[in-house]
Amino acid sequence: VRSAGLAAVAGRPSHQHAVALASDAAIDLSRHAASPLSPEAIRDADVIFVMDVAQLVELAGRFPDARGKAYLLSCLAPSSRLDVRDPVDGDLDVFRTCFAHIHESVAPIARVLAEAPPCQ
């Protein structure tokens, strides 16, 4: 699993609220830093999840090779909003809401992966 952004500033550390909430879930973001999306990352990816429709459109325009493997993160979570709102510069509650939406969005994917036989 890799993380990259269309407007990411290379090396920018995770927001303090993101680090704190991730830590509560036993995920260490203390050394995580932003990285811009690259043609190499697109080429190497099996699947690319984006947070909102605007990102999906921009991704397809900037990286045509991504079109066949890019999906909205929440596309398999029918009770969830399609767009995951970016919490940037929000307070702790904004981040908490965003993280809950991400959790809800990935639940169907996690469920399928947990039930899948191991890769050989």
Side-chain angles (χ1 to χ4, degrees):
V1 174
R2 295 176 66 194
S3 171
L6 291 166
V9 176
R12 182 178 181 190
S14 297
H15 191 284
Q16 64 184 6
H17 295 321
V19 173
L21 289 171
S23 179
D24 291 347
I27 298 168
D28 183 8
L29 288 182
S30 64
R31 291 184 299 273
H32 181 269
S35 62
L37 190 58
S38 68
E40 296 77 23
I42 298 290
R43 181 195 66 226
D44 295 345
D46 294 315
V47 65
I48 301 166
F49 289 111
V50 298
M51 303 302 239
D52 58 48
V53 173
Q55 285 182 342
L56 191 61
V57 171
E58 184 177 348
L59 178 70
R62 287 177 49 190
F63 299 97
D65 292 344
R67 289 181 181 155
K69 50 179 138 180
Y71 303 90
L72 287 171
L73 179 66
S74 59
C75 69
L76 298 176
S79 63
S80 183
R81 288 185 332 271
L82 280 180
D83 284 2
V84 177
R85 293 189 183 118
D86 189 341
V88 69
D89 300 326
D91 62 18
L92 185 58
D93 285 338
V94 171
F95 274 82
R96 189 174 284 119
T97 299
C98 178
F99 277 37
H101 190 180
I102 292 169
H103 185 276
E104 180 182 319
S105 297
V106 300
I109 299 166
R111 192 169 34 258
V112 168
L113 291 175
E115 296 169 359
C119 294
Q120 298 295 333

